[in-house]
Amino acid sequence: MKLLISSALILVGSCSTLRHSEKIDNLKNSISYEDKTVVEHYLNTINTDELKVHLEEISSDKHMGRMTGEEGHNQVCDYIRSYYKLQSIKAPKSHPNYYQKVPKEVLPDSLNDSQNIIAYIEGSEFPNEYIYISAHSDHEGVIDGEIYNGADDNGSGTAAVLEIAEAFNKAVKDGYRPKRSIVFLHVTAEEVGLHGSHYYTENPIFPLENTISTLNIDMIGRVDERHKDNEDYIYVIGSDRMSTELHFIAQKANAAFTDLELDYKFNEADDINRYYYRSDHYNFALKGVPVIFFFNGEHEDYTKPTDTADKINYPLLAKRAKLIFATAWYLANSDVRLNPEII
């Protein structure tokens, strides 16, 4: 009898495994870019020259390392806001100056009031569903008389969000408005404990229950030691933790447009670095929003005053930004809302 029961269990298990594999195959096959030529056209408007202009401005010495609440960071926030105004990418109706004040009372001692910056493109068919593309705008300021420019951390992510926003806006002007709304969120106070994104998720301007996904960008302009012999990579963190479909969408975007190595090393549950918990996407994940964290890993200039704009790999930065754009395009334009489940 024991033998018969064991055999039956094996049979049931095999059938269950087959059904699961079929679900996975069906899900993968359901993800496709029917408008691939259109996506490629706007994706290719993301260019190294414009990224360099943004990044050199953001990480300039004149901004004194962009410490949260200090004048240099406020100047960079105004630069970001002015760029959205120039592109005619609008602010939320509730915050017409693009700023969400983050009061000093919710920040660590000695910091001044600061601000998150929010711009968005309204969707054509599902305007009340939202995809966030986020990056933190602050850095570490001046330490022992040295300016910490933070070109990669996170001038690279900030510049990428601006270029991605411009690419989507060009599509809108040509008649390709996204079906869902896309929110471009620049958060403050990441370096001092993810306070800007925490404040936003506790006081969201757009309802989090209607948020499809958050794509967070934090350091995508350099190459780490692990990939010194193959720079065409990006670490993808968190993509499969809350939505199997999101994981496969990023893979499909990469296969269709960028052909980077998607490295999941830091997505492992036992990652000793705990990167999944260390950037702004995590506060969205805590609210049940499926997330992806795009990251290039640490390098010799990480959290040092030598993290400067001249060391950025601009072609690689552009390629990684294109991957994020393509992922966001699919999420924003799919006929069916992202399934926030693990299969």
Side-chain angles (χ1 to χ4, degrees), residues 52-118:
K52 187 175 183 181
V53 168
H54 290 314
L55 205 152
E56 288 182 342
E57 173 61 31
I58 292 161
S59 63
S60 169
D61 280 353
K62 66 184 178 183
H63 299 309
M64 303 297 288
R66 309 190 308 279
M67 172 58 76
T68 296
E70 294 187 1
E71 183 58 27
H73 182 243
N74 293 338
Q75 291 169 353
V76 168
C77 289
D78 188 58
Y79 173 83
I80 294 168
R81 174 173 63 175
S82 297
Y83 192 73
Y84 286 120
K85 289 180 179 178
L86 179 66
Q87 294 294 320
S88 298
I89 299 174
K90 62 185 181 180
K93 291 179 181 178
S94 61
H95 293 69
N97 71 343
Y98 296 86
Y99 282 178
Q100 179 191 46
K101 180 182 176 180
V102 180
K104 63 182 179 182
E105 288 77 15
V106 304
L107 296 171
D109 291 345
S110 79
L111 293 180
N112 299 317
D113 292 342
S114 190
Q115 57 279 323
N116 296 323
I117 308 160
I118 306 99

Side-chain angles (χ1 to χ4, degrees), residues 116-117 130-138 152-162 164 182-191 193-198 200-201 211-221 234-239 246 250 274-286 289-297 317 320-321 323-325 327-328 331:
N116 296 323
I117 308 160
Y130 305 93
I131 291 91
Y132 281 77
I133 304 175
S134 65
H136 73 88
S137 57
D138 63 304
D152 190 32
D153 185 11
N154 188 30
S156 63
T158 305
V161 174
L162 293 175
I164 291 167
I182 304 175
V183 182
F184 308 102
L185 175 64
H186 301 260
V187 292
T188 187
E190 190 271 355
E191 299 286 3
L194 312 185
H195 291 284
S197 56
H198 180 262
Y200 183 88
T201 55
T211 297
I212 306 302
S213 181
T214 294
L215 307 180
N216 183 49
I217 313 172
D218 193 349
M219 298 174 55
I220 61 166
I234 187 72
Y235 290 108
V236 178
I237 302 172
S239 61
L246 179 60
R274 293 176 57 82
Y275 288 123
Y276 178 69
Y277 307 94
R278 289 172 54 184
S279 192
D280 295 296
H281 60 281
Y282 183 60
N283 282 316
F284 285 86
L286 287 174
V289 176
V291 301
I292 304 180
F293 171 24
F294 296 93
F295 177 53
N296 56 215
L317 170 57
R320 290 164 171 169
L323 168 62
I324 299 161
F325 173 88
T327 304
L331 291 167

Side-chain angles (χ1 to χ4, degrees), residues 229-243:
D229 296 324
N230 176 25
E231 65 180 27
D232 276 357
Y233 77 97
I234 187 72
Y235 290 108
V236 178
I237 302 172
S239 61
D240 63 349
R241 302 221 180 181
M242 303 179 75
S243 170

Side-chain angles (χ1 to χ4, degrees), residues 11 38 51 76 84-85 89 123 126 130 173 185 210 226 253 332:
L11 180 60
V38 174
L51 284 166
V76 168
Y84 286 120
K85 289 180 179 178
I89 299 174
F126 311 108
Y130 305 93
K173 291 176 179 178
L185 175 64
N210 291 340
R226 174 179 165 88

